[in-house]
Amino acid sequence: MRFAQPFSIGLFRLFMRFIPHDVVVQLQPGDLQPGVHYVLAANHQSMFDPFVITSSLGNELLKQLRPIRYFTHNVFIDLPVAGKILLALGCFPARAHNR
């Protein structure tokens, strides 16, 4: 996960340059307290919202928020190939799972 997540964030940032979107992130690095865990929630326009929001964060925010984890529906985690990719990107199952 250590290498997959920064790669995926960079890939989504590149992808988002060509896709019209209206993601507005009002969070600033000074808003975060060291040693505190945070939850960022999406209104779910699509299943890519968590990744789009993460790619919209500035580098300083990403450094402060790492490691970033994504709460994911078990149906997606159970998919043979997609599940492995999602786990590598920092996703975790919504309920207890054998992985």
Side-chain angles (χ1 to χ4, degrees), residues 22-23 40-50 53:
D22 57 350
V23 175
L40 302 178
N43 61 358
H44 273 306
Q45 298 293 320
S46 79
M47 66 181 181
F48 295 107
D49 283 357
I53 289 171

Side-chain angles (χ1 to χ4, degrees), residues 1-93:
M1 183 172 82
R2 187 179 294 176
F3 298 107
Q5 197 170 60
F7 174 76
S8 68
I9 291 169
L11 195 61
F12 267 98
R13 282 184 175 172
L14 179 64
F15 183 69
M16 293 304 294
R17 290 182 184 204
F18 303 104
I19 303 286
H21 63 286
D22 57 350
V23 175
V24 177
V25 177
Q26 296 179 342
L27 186 63
Q28 299 297 317
D31 297 334
L32 303 178
Q33 297 176 11
V36 176
H37 299 280
Y38 291 91
V39 174
L40 302 178
N43 61 358
H44 273 306
Q45 298 293 320
S46 79
M47 66 181 181
F48 295 107
D49 283 357
F51 302 107
V52 171
I53 289 171
T54 302
S55 68
S56 300
L57 299 174
N59 288 333
E60 193 60 37
L61 277 172
L62 286 173
K63 286 180 197 172
Q64 287 182 268
L65 291 171
R66 280 192 184 126
I68 296 174
R69 303 290 311 270
Y70 304 100
F71 189 67
T72 308
H73 195 292
N74 282 45
V75 170
F76 301 118
I77 299 289
D78 288 336
L79 297 171
V81 175
K84 287 183 175 53
I85 293 169
L86 291 170
L87 290 169
L89 295 177
C91 296
F92 64 95

